[in-house]
Amino acid sequence: MSLVVQKFGGTSVADTDRIKAVADHIARSKRSGDSIVVVVSAMGKTTDELLHLANQVSKVIPGREMDMLWTAGERISMALVCMALAEREIPAASFTGSQAGIVTDELHTRARIVQVKGDRIRSALAAGLVPVVAGFQGVSTANDVTTLGRGGSDTTAVALAAALGADRCEIYTDVSGVFSADPRIVPSARKLPRISFEEMLEIAATGGRVLALRSVEFARNHHVSLLVRSSFTWEPGTLVTEEDPSMEQPVVSAVTSDATSAKITLSGVADRPGIAAALFRGLADRHVNVDMIVQNVSHDGTTDISFTAPKDDVAASLEVAEAMRPSLGAVSVVADDDVAQVSLVGAGMKTNPGVTATMFETLAGAGINIEMISTSPIRISCMVRAEVAERAVQVLHAAFALDT
Ligand code: ADP
Ligand code: ASP
Ligand code: MG
C-alpha cells in the first residue's frame, strides 16, 4: 500500500462534471488499496474572478483581505469533491490550509511555508478517510489566513507529500505532462518523459507555468519526485526527479517565454562603488524579486542600470528608485512593460558550447532584437519586445529541432 498525494488544478475541477470525473479517479485509486491525500485548486478561473471583484470595489486591496477572499475559492472545490466522493461511498473529509497545519510567514498573497504540521491529515488517513486539502493557502504565525502566490496549490501538494513521507506526488492538470514548449504556443511540442529538478526549476522560473516555481524548489530540497499528468486523458505523464547521471543530458530540453516582468531603467547613474548596492538593497527591503540586471559601460563617470522585476512589483520598484534618484545621481527612471523573456533550458548546455550563438543567430534571422541577456549554467534568457515573444519561441523550438 502506497501513500499518494494527488493534486488537481483549476481546469481539472472547473465544473461539476470535471469534479465528478476527478472523484471517480480518486475512488479508483483508493479502491486499488492506496492511501490518498487530495489537494484541490479553486474551480476554473475563480481566483482571477475574485481578484477582479476586489479591484471593482477598491483601489486599495489590503493583502490580508485579499487572502481572506482568495482562500474562499479552494474551500468551494474541496467541499464539492468530498460530496462527490460521498456519493461514491468513499469516506472523505475536507480541510482548509489552516486545519491541515500549513503554517506560513506573514507575507500576505505570497507567503512562504515555514512548517507543515499535518496532524489532522495523519489522523484522517489513520481513520481510513481521504483528506481533501484546500491548495494555495495556509495560516500565518500571526494566525491569519494567507495564500502562497499564484499557482500555489502545487506547493501545497509537494509540502504535504514531503511532510507525510508520501510515496508519490501526482500533479493533475490540463496538459499531459511537461513539454518542450508550452503546447499552446508550439502545437508540435514534445512531451518529456522525464526531466531533472534543475531543468524544471529553470523552466518554472522562466514562464513554464505547468508547475509553480516554489513547488519545484520544495520538491528538490525534500527529494519528492513529481508526476505531472492530465486529468482529461489520464495518460502517462512526465516524471520530475533527480538527474540520472547514466543518461546523456539533452543540450536543449525546453523553450519558455514569460511576459510577467517589466524592465526598469535608471539613466545617468553615478559610476562609483556602493551605487548598485544601495539600489538593490532598497529593492530587496521591499521584497522586489529582481531577475536580470544590466549595467552599461561608463561614459563621463555615469552609466545606465536596467533590471527586470515582476510587473506586480513595478510600483514598488519605481518608488524605491525615485526615492533614491538624488543619492544615486540618476537623471531619470522609466519602466517598460512591453517586454518578454524568452529562454532555452537544457542540462547539456554545460558541456555544449555554441548554444548561445545558435540562439542569437536564430533570433537575428527572424529579425528579433535582443535587449538584455542573462544566463545560468543550464539556461540562456533573452529579453525581447513582448509582441515577438511567441514567434521567438516558435523559431527557437524549430532551430533546436525539439519536436523531432
Ligand atoms: P493548473 O490549473 O492545473 O495548475 P496551469 O494553468 O497552472 O494548470 O498549468 C498548466 C498550463 O501550463 C498548460 O495549460 C500549458 O499551457 C502551460 N505550460 C506552459 N509551459 C508548459 C510546458 N513547457 N509544458 C506543459 N505545459 C506548459
Ligand atoms: N487557485 C490558485 C491560482 O489560481 C492556486 C492554484 O491554482 O494553484 O493561482
Ligand atoms: Mg498551476
Side-chain angles (χ1 to χ4, degrees):
M1 193 182 86
S2 305
L3 174 60
V4 185
V5 174
Q6 298 187 335
K7 178 259 170 176
F8 297 92
T11 40
S12 301
V13 292
D15 55 37
T16 49
D17 284 339
R18 294 292 319 148
I19 288 179
K20 290 181 200 173
V22 161
D24 282 334
H25 180 74
I26 298 167
R28 266 196 308 275
S29 310
K30 172 78 177 155
R31 291 204 176 100
S32 76
D34 287 336
S35 287
I36 310 293
V37 175
V38 175
V39 174
V40 283
S41 293
M43 293 171 71
K45 301 243 167 287
T46 302
T47 308
D48 291 330
E49 287 159 10
L50 291 173
L51 178 60
H52 183 62
L53 208 56
N55 283 321
Q56 278 178 308
V57 293
S58 177
K59 286 194 195 64
V60 183
I61 302 180
R64 182 183 183 280
E65 305 314 322
M66 193 62 236
D67 280 350
M68 200 57 101
L69 184 65
W70 260 343
T71 50
E74 269 72 10
R75 263 186 185 244
I76 295 174
S77 0
M78 71 178 188
L80 292 175
V81 167
C82 283
M83 291 173 195
L85 287 171
E87 188 177 280
R88 284 154 184 78
E89 296 179 4
I90 299 291
S94 60
F95 295 93
T96 62
S98 166
Q99 288 175 317
I102 297 181
V103 183
T104 72
D105 62 17
E106 294 173 46
L107 206 58
H108 282 288
T109 73
R110 47 168 110 166
R112 276 185 175 272
I113 296 176
V114 295
Q115 190 191 1
V116 179
K117 294 189 183 141
D119 302 340
R120 294 193 64 180
I121 306 304
R122 282 189 201 89
S123 311
L125 284 170
L129 302 179
V130 174
V132 179
V133 181
F136 175 54
Q137 54 178 262
V139 61
S140 75
T141 41
N143 245 326
D144 278 318
V145 163
T146 50
T147 61
L148 309 177
R150 297 303 305 269
S153 297
D154 296 332
T155 315
T156 306
V158 179
L160 274 173
L164 300 170
D167 299 287
R168 292 202 301 282
C169 183
E170 302 175 344
I171 307 285
Y172 289 89
T173 183
D174 58 0
V175 286
S176 61
V178 180
F179 282 71
S180 53
D182 185 339
R184 288 173 213 277
I185 299 176
V186 184
S188 63
R190 196 168 47 90
K191 183 165 79 189
L192 310 170
R194 180 191 171 111
I195 188 161
S196 67
F197 287 130
E198 267 57 38
E199 287 173 299
M200 193 63 230
L201 272 177
E202 297 282 10
I203 291 175
T206 56
R209 71 170 196 284
V210 59
L211 287 174
L213 177 59
R214 291 250 183 96
S215 74
V216 188
E217 285 172 350
F218 217 102
R220 181 196 52 185
N221 295 346
H222 295 84
H223 308 283
V224 179
S225 296
L226 307 177
L227 186 61
V228 181
R229 294 182 64 187
S230 163
S231 71
F232 291 76
T233 63
W234 311 104
E235 65 196 282
T238 299
L239 182 68
V240 184
T241 189
E242 318 282 349
E243 188 177 303
D244 180 351
S246 69
M247 274 171 53
E248 193 172 348
Q249 299 303 314
V251 179
V252 176
S253 295
V255 190
T256 59
S257 65
D258 180 15
T260 60
S261 291
K263 179 169 92 170
I264 293 134
T265 303
L266 289 87
S267 335
V269 179
D271 193 13
R272 56 179 155 76
I275 291 290
L279 173 63
F280 290 102
R281 167 55 60 202
L283 292 166
D285 287 345
R286 293 285 302 271
H287 303 285
V288 173
N289 235 329
V290 172
D291 183 19
M292 294 181 172
I293 301 171
V294 172
Q295 176 168 347
N296 285 341
V297 177
S298 157
H299 292 291
D300 321 318
T302 69
T303 181
D304 296 344
I305 298 179
S306 293
F307 62 90
T308 65
K311 282 182 182 156
D312 290 346
D313 290 343
V314 166
S317 305
L318 288 177
E319 274 173 37
V320 170
E322 274 300 340
M324 289 190 160
R325 201 158 62 86
S327 60
L328 301 175
V331 178
S332 68
V333 181
V334 277
D336 179 355
D337 264 4
D338 242 1
V339 290
Q341 182 181 307
V342 177
S343 308
L344 292 180
V345 176
M349 274 184 205
K350 276 184 267 193
T351 48
N352 279 277
V355 179
T356 313
T358 307
M359 181 179 196
F360 294 173
E361 283 160 7
T362 305
L363 293 176
I368 294 171
N369 188 43
I370 301 170
E371 300 184 19
M372 289 170 104
I373 301 158
S374 81
T375 63
S376 86
I378 62 166
R379 172 185 54 81
I380 311 168
S381 300
C382 295
M383 192 57 96
V384 299
R385 287 289 102 200
E387 69 263 21
V388 297
E390 289 203 357
R391 202 155 55 82
V393 171
Q394 288 156 353
V395 295
L396 289 168
H397 198 269
F400 287 92
L402 296 184
D403 46 5
T404 55

